[in-house]
Amino acid sequence: MERANESSLMGFILLGFSDHPRLESALFVFVLFFYILTLVGNFAIIIISYLDPLLHTPMYFFLSNLSLLDLCFTTSLAPQTLDNLRGPEKTIAYGGCVVQLYISLALGSTECILLAVMALDRYIAVCKPLHYVAIMNPRLCQQLASLSWLSGLSNSLIHATFTLQLPLCGNHRLNHFICEVPALLKLACVDTTVNELVLFVVSVLFLLIPPALILISYGFISQAVLKIKSVEARHKAFSTCSSHLTVVIIFYGTIIYMYLQPSNSYAQDQGKFISLFYTMVTPTLNPIIYTLRNKDIKVALRTLLSKKIVFPM
């Protein structure tokens, strides 16, 4: 029992990229750069969507939720990663690891559901435009957003708790730069077949069903868009939907690779670089993709920047 509790007393040593010491300085700059971009880009989307009345629509309501998710998700991981890459001290307290695991799992799971909700919003907007305002009313939007957040929180409470109950028997050298489920399962000194089965079931629920529904909805959207006679309206619909689809492919593609491969084929080094991509790069791509390909956001940004601020004398 003493050995089982040793990790909770000592915390964990995050090996991170210590086997690539020459890369650590470059990775530090890489993570810091993308973290700053994430903060600036997602804060900008939240502020613009709030200040511009023309953007008070379901699409931008969900986009603001997505930006808030990305801000919180990256902030729960980036500071620890930067500290890990900065110097020889690569430890994290057991409590810090637990908090990081719960928060990152909750936010990551929430994003899986939220992206599907955003696809539903686009489906109704394109395929049922005359009923869009009535269907996607503020109450339903709030309910769908709440469902996304509560689903992620529920998954985190169940899955993280189940993982943290595994005896580690003194193993505290975590071969990762963050506290993540696949890496923690590697430390367990007991059979983890049940945990891996739970991980697989949860992954199917959050990583396969939502993107499948998204692809189906975009099949209907494509059919509806091709029937639009106006070239400008067709282009706008394709531009908006392709932005969302790009985010979906990048986000689900990297996480599916991480969580739906057999444990015996899990490559630690490759897994760490994939994790680095979806935890640091993907939250940066969301605002870039949505702003560069979204005319409404660009117009709203130019309008806000062109306004003169009058200070009282």
Side-chain angles (χ1 to χ4, degrees):
M1 180 64 70
E2 291 180 1
R3 291 193 66 196
N5 293 329
E6 187 178 340
S7 293
S8 63
L9 297 175
M10 296 181 61
F12 294 98
I13 298 173
L14 295 174
L15 299 180
F17 300 94
S18 55
D19 49 347
H20 303 284
R22 295 182 180 180
L23 276 179
E24 287 193 325
S25 297
L27 289 174
F28 179 88
V29 176
F30 174 87
V31 172
L32 181 61
F33 174 74
F34 278 100
Y35 182 44
I36 293 173
L37 282 183
T38 298
L39 294 177
V40 174
N42 286 290
F43 266 125
I45 285 181
I46 293 172
I47 293 171
I48 292 170
S49 300
Y50 177 76
L51 293 179
D52 193 326
L54 296 178
L55 299 184
H56 292 177
T57 63
M59 175 181 171
Y60 296 102
F61 170 74
F62 294 127
L63 182 55
S64 296
N65 272 266
L66 179 63
S67 293
L68 179 61
L69 262 176
D70 287 336
L71 277 173
C72 297
F73 180 69
T74 308
T75 300
S76 71
L77 301 172
Q80 174 62 46
T81 303
L82 290 170
D83 185 61
N84 182 285
L85 294 169
R86 185 170 54 90
E89 187 68 23
K90 302 180 184 298
T91 59
I92 182 172
Y94 181 81
C97 184
V98 169
V99 171
Q100 187 180 84
L101 183 65
Y102 274 108
I103 292 177
S104 60
L105 262 179
L107 297 175
S109 304
T110 299
E111 186 159 345
C112 291
I113 305 299
L114 184 61
L115 289 174
V117 169
M118 293 175 71
L120 173 65
D121 172 67
R122 290 300 84 206
Y123 165 76
I124 297 174
V126 175
C127 298
K128 301 180 182 296
L130 298 179
H131 305 285
Y132 178 68
V133 175
I135 296 175
M136 298 302 293
N137 57 74
R139 182 180 179 183
L140 179 62
C141 291
Q142 292 172 0
Q143 290 174 341
L144 290 173
S146 299
L147 175 65
S148 302
W149 287 88
L150 289 174
S151 298
L153 179 61
S154 300
N155 175 53
S156 176
L157 289 174
I158 295 171
H159 195 44
T161 302
F162 198 52
T163 301
L164 291 169
Q165 287 179 342
L166 288 171
L168 304 180
C169 302
N171 297 327
H172 58 274
R173 296 172 64 85
L174 191 64
N175 193 10
H176 215 295
F177 62 93
I178 57 174
C179 291
E180 196 170 45
V181 172
L184 285 169
L185 291 179
K186 291 287 184 181
L187 293 185
C189 56
V190 295
D191 182 26
T192 60
T193 302
V194 176
N195 294 78
E196 291 171 10
L197 179 61
V198 172
L199 177 61
F200 177 77
V201 172
V202 169
S203 298
V204 169
L205 291 175
F206 284 87
L207 299 180
L208 289 185
I209 295 178
L213 295 175
I214 290 172
L215 292 177
I216 292 172
S217 68
Y218 273 95
F220 289 112
I221 288 173
S222 298
Q223 291 179 351
V225 170
L226 292 174
K227 294 178 182 178
I228 299 176
K229 295 182 179 180
S230 170
V231 176
E232 183 180 352
R234 188 188 307 169
H235 175 74
K236 183 177 180 180
F238 267 127
S239 178
T240 302
C241 294
S242 63
S243 298
H244 180 221
L245 201 56
T246 303
V247 172
V248 166
I249 292 171
I250 294 172
F251 178 76
Y252 284 107
T254 51
I255 298 187
I256 286 173
Y257 178 85
M258 279 293 300
Y259 281 86
L260 282 177
Q261 61 174 312
S263 60
N264 54 6
S265 65
Y266 179 77
Q268 291 286 359
D269 281 352
Q270 196 174 30
K272 283 184 280 188
F273 283 103
I274 294 294
S275 295
L276 191 67
F277 183 86
Y278 81 75
T279 57
M280 304 300 162
V281 179
T282 304
T284 304
L285 295 178
N286 289 348
I288 293 175
I289 291 171
Y290 278 107
T291 53
L292 292 181
R293 297 178 61 85
N294 193 304
K295 183 179 178 181
D296 294 336
I297 288 282
K298 288 187 285 187
V299 170
L301 181 60
R302 283 197 296 266
T303 302
L304 291 174
L305 292 177
S306 64
K307 286 184 178 179
K308 295 181 179 180
I309 302 176
V310 180
F311 294 96
M313 298 298 291

